[in-house]
Amino acid sequence: MNSVDEEFISQCLRKYYYEYFGIIDIPSKLNRHEFGYQKPNSPMIRHIQLQDAAELRSTLMQELPLDVFLSSARYLFPSLPMAEKEWQDADLIFDIDAKDLNLECRPSHTVQICATCGKVNNKGCACDSPQIKDVSVTCDRCINASKKEVKKLLDILYDDIGIKESQTEVYFSGNDGFHIHVHDLKFLNLNSLERSELVDYVMCNGILPERLGMKREGATSLPQLTDAGWPGRFARHMFGSKTARPKEIKKITADGYARFTDTLKRLSHTLGACIDSGVTTDVHRIFRMPGTINGKSGMTKMACPDIAKFNPYKDAVLINDNKVTVNALCPIPFKLMNKKFGPYNNKDVDIPSYAAMYLMCKGLAHRV
Amino acid sequence: MIKLGEAELAKYPFLADAGQHLPEYGFTLEQLAQDPDLAVVREKAFNRIYTTTQTGKIYKPSPKGSTALPLEVLSFILAIVLLKQSRANFLIKKFAMQEARGAERFLERDLGQGTTDIQIETTRKIIWDLAHIEISKRDRYFVIAVPDYLHRAVLFHAREWKLINRQVKDGWVYLNPHETVRLIRQELVNYISDKISSAATPPVVSGLQDMVDKLILLNSKFQPQIAYSDKNPPCVQHAIDTLSDGKNLSHAGRFMLATYLLSRGYNVKEIAPYFKNAPDYNESITLYQLNHLAGKSGNNTQYACQSCAKLKSANLCYATSECEGIHNPMQFGVKR
Ligand code: SF4
Ligand SMILES: [Zn+2]
């Protein structure tokens, strides 16, 4: 990103934070959180303590950061070095990202960019040891698959773990996935180790065959379709219907313990929610602040109360639509605000600011 | 704190507030220590400590109704008094652990077999007092909230304790009575240890001194030598100096020196040379006497080191400021 690009982005951000400051989710104890931000081509600045919304507003308007972060944790002294902050508690956060889902569509909308020279898909890159960065553009399949994982996760959190819907907030991450924030007081003081047990639970990691009534000596009491929790989920998936159950049980019994263990491993993968475990267990991390711009896309990290109806490529596009001219190199077409853009083969195009910002954030366009 | 009935207190005597309880039963510590009618309490208190710390067995309270006295609670309270007065830290630790194991059995049984609502309610409240977790009954199971479960279960390493291998529904983890009690084992031990360490150390009353001396001796067997300062208590040092100067040491003085050194773990052969300079030294007689004190001959009981009070009255005490607060030379130099 060159200085002309930076100037353009700053303009967009100034307008954005002026108009949309109201949609930022400001926690009730803002001054207990660690605040941090990053401007283009600059190092991250963190360990900041903000007193109130007014200070947040003036910081955003003054600094015009591309990325804005807030700790999930509350501290006694948020601005001190990590070891001295004195951790109090932290929201429970789950991160679902399309890039972790091993989707077949992924390569078809991903380009490689050399981090040093910025050349796309190796064309004309003469760097000694190019640092290749994968950059993906919009894909409905990725979003739908992520939504499915969110649904799986929420079902487990609500039905098994007993977390209330009213204590849960689902956010579009602003790029490729979703963040689920849980504010339920009972869970805020869990430490990292305890959170990793929850991670294993929702991902269905480490389940023993015995939990499903399978013993080394043989199947004893395989679950019913109506059972609660994991046994029920497995039963519904393995047996399909109540009538098919006896036949399937016969087969499982004949196949034995070792085969069942393998099946279980495979199914755990399918049935468990695919989350980034590191995010949930890190109780000192700073997260993108809901309502702020995601610097990887120019879209907004925003709440989506009705995730089924949520269309991120429209609902989270809040940068203005003033036309600008950019030089774009994007070999794959993408869709924003229900409009198709690209492919662009290194040409100057007049496009709305939101699309220009999208491409610039991805390193696929420059201001001319 | 809930009001518990006699039967509950017999099983969980540590739930009684030791300090407040004695007067409630109409007893003073002096009575417990001296009243001939209460000898049974003293004996039980000592046995309670002896069984739990020396045999590795779990102490079993006697069936209720066998006596008009609240024997179990009183003996538990007195046991704590004895342990506090002897400052027997090793015994205290063992005692707390074993009492916890005993309570664990009762809790498990009360949860599993509790038939009346009152029984279950009482057990529920006991668990609340011990571990501050809310449990409730669902069919054959007891349920506890997911976060309460996680706080404790992450310390266990068996895969069965992973949350994924538990029945979890609506925020509750389902456990059988054994698992429920296992989950709070450490808290039970901590509760009893805290109870003992926070109990006041009552002034020494006569009548208990012999038991306290015996406990000090028992404790010293657990205590690694290293825990002592290498300085001898003044009374003992005085005796050693007297002998090494070739002066005569009274019979009582020799008895003190020998029992002290034996209690510190020295064997007879190591102790005998201390007496070599005595004007009337005779090796075989000395060895014979030492063996007797060490319990290696005759009645088989090792003689405990006497209390400071006894040594004072025998004019063997040479107390310095470092002796402040101790009741027995064995406690000299032990960090409080
Ligand atoms: S107070 Fe006890 S230890 Fe100290 S000199 Fe007197 S008898 Fe010995
Ligand atoms: Zn895709």
Side-chain angles (χ1 to χ4, degrees), chain B residues 2-187:
Chain B
I2 40 164
K3 266 263 149 287
L4 294 171
E6 218 50 72
E8 262 66 41
L9 279 181
K11 290 185 284 191
Y12 313 112
F14 47 87
L15 290 174
D17 201 324
Q20 286 165 11
H21 241 77
L22 275 188
E24 219 170 89
Y25 286 109
F27 293 114
T28 63
L29 185 57
E30 282 71 22
Q31 283 172 305
L32 268 193
Q34 291 150 10
D35 190 330
D37 290 342
L38 296 176
V40 56
V41 175
R42 293 191 286 276
E43 199 178 307
K44 206 168 177 63
F46 187 82
N47 279 340
R48 197 165 188 140
I49 301 173
Y50 192 86
T51 314
T52 51
T53 62
Q54 305 299 306
T55 67
K57 286 198 191 110
I58 292 172
Y59 171 81
K60 282 204 195 73
S62 43
K64 93 182 228 279
S66 59
T67 161
L69 278 176
L71 206 47
E72 298 303 336
V73 184
L74 286 179
S75 66
F76 182 82
I77 294 173
L78 186 58
I80 291 186
V81 169
L82 291 172
L83 286 167
K84 292 294 279 193
Q85 289 188 339
S86 51
R87 283 201 211 114
N89 291 333
F90 288 83
L91 296 189
I92 289 174
K93 219 162 120 190
K94 272 206 108 155
F95 179 80
M97 260 164 63
Q98 293 296 88
E99 287 280 334
R101 294 281 301 285
E104 235 180 84
R105 289 187 180 177
F106 284 118
L107 276 177
E108 193 178 324
R109 215 182 55 198
D110 286 354
L111 280 180
Q113 300 172 359
T115 40
T116 66
D117 285 355
I118 295 178
Q119 270 173 324
I120 291 176
E121 190 56 16
T122 308
T123 318
R124 245 169 53 82
K125 282 186 175 154
I126 289 174
I127 290 181
W128 170 257
D129 278 349
L130 291 174
H132 287 279
I133 53 174
E134 201 64 83
I135 64 161
S136 45
K137 199 161 160 99
R138 278 302 140 82
D139 308 326
R140 291 179 296 127
Y141 293 96
F142 290 89
V143 298
I144 107 166
V146 168
D148 285 338
Y149 177 82
L150 289 177
H151 289 321
R152 293 159 182 87
V154 287
L155 304 173
F156 302 164
H157 298 293
R159 284 178 70 191
E160 290 74 29
W161 286 98
K162 281 187 74 63
L163 189 65
I164 183 80
N165 289 313
R166 291 280 139 199
Q167 187 180 338
V168 185
K169 196 184 162 203
D170 293 331
W172 300 102
V173 183
Y174 287 64
L175 302 168
N176 65 30
H178 176 72
E179 292 161 342
T180 308
V181 174
R182 174 67 189 88
L183 200 64
I184 60 160
R185 173 179 289 174
Q186 196 51 48
E187 277 146 309

Side-chain angles (χ1 to χ4, degrees), chain A residues 213-361:
Chain A
M214 185 67 174
K215 302 226 170 85
R216 279 177 202 281
E217 310 84 66
T220 49
S221 53
L222 291 169
Q224 306 283 348
L225 279 74
T226 50
D227 281 352
W230 283 113
R233 274 181 210 107
F234 274 98
R236 289 188 289 277
H237 192 88
M238 283 190 298
F239 308 143
S241 72
K242 212 177 147 192
T243 43
R245 187 170 174 266
K247 209 178 107 208
E248 289 295 322
I249 287 183
K250 241 188 214 146
K251 203 165 151 273
I252 290 171
T253 313
D255 286 349
Y257 187 84
R259 277 285 279 281
F260 188 77
T261 309
D262 290 342
T263 314
L264 211 54
K265 269 207 191 107
R266 201 162 28 78
L267 282 188
S268 304
H269 220 72
T270 319
L271 296 181
C274 184
I275 61 170
D276 180 341
S277 60
V279 169
T280 305
T281 55
D282 186 348
V283 293
H284 295 108
R285 197 179 281 222
I286 51 177
F287 290 89
R288 194 172 301 289
M289 209 173 165
T292 66
I293 293 288
N294 185 326
K296 288 185 198 144
S297 70
M299 290 189 284
T300 301
K301 168 170 176 177
M302 66 186 302
C304 32
D306 187 355
I307 186 171
K309 289 211 189 93
F310 183 76
N311 175 2
Y313 302 135
K314 181 163 169 290
D315 301 338
V317 179
L318 298 181
I319 297 295
N320 67 80
D321 58 1
N322 300 340
K323 282 272 165 64
V324 284
T325 313
V326 292
N327 177 271
L329 202 174
C330 180
I332 304 162
F334 61 96
K335 222 166 84 184
L336 285 178
M337 299 304 281
N338 291 329
K339 277 196 210 77
K340 189 184 155 228
F341 297 93
Y344 301 125
N345 182 20
N346 208 1
K347 67 175 180 190
D348 293 354
V349 287
D350 276 348
I351 51 174
S353 292
Y354 60 78
M357 178 134 167
Y358 182 81
L359 286 173
M360 284 179 180
C361 285

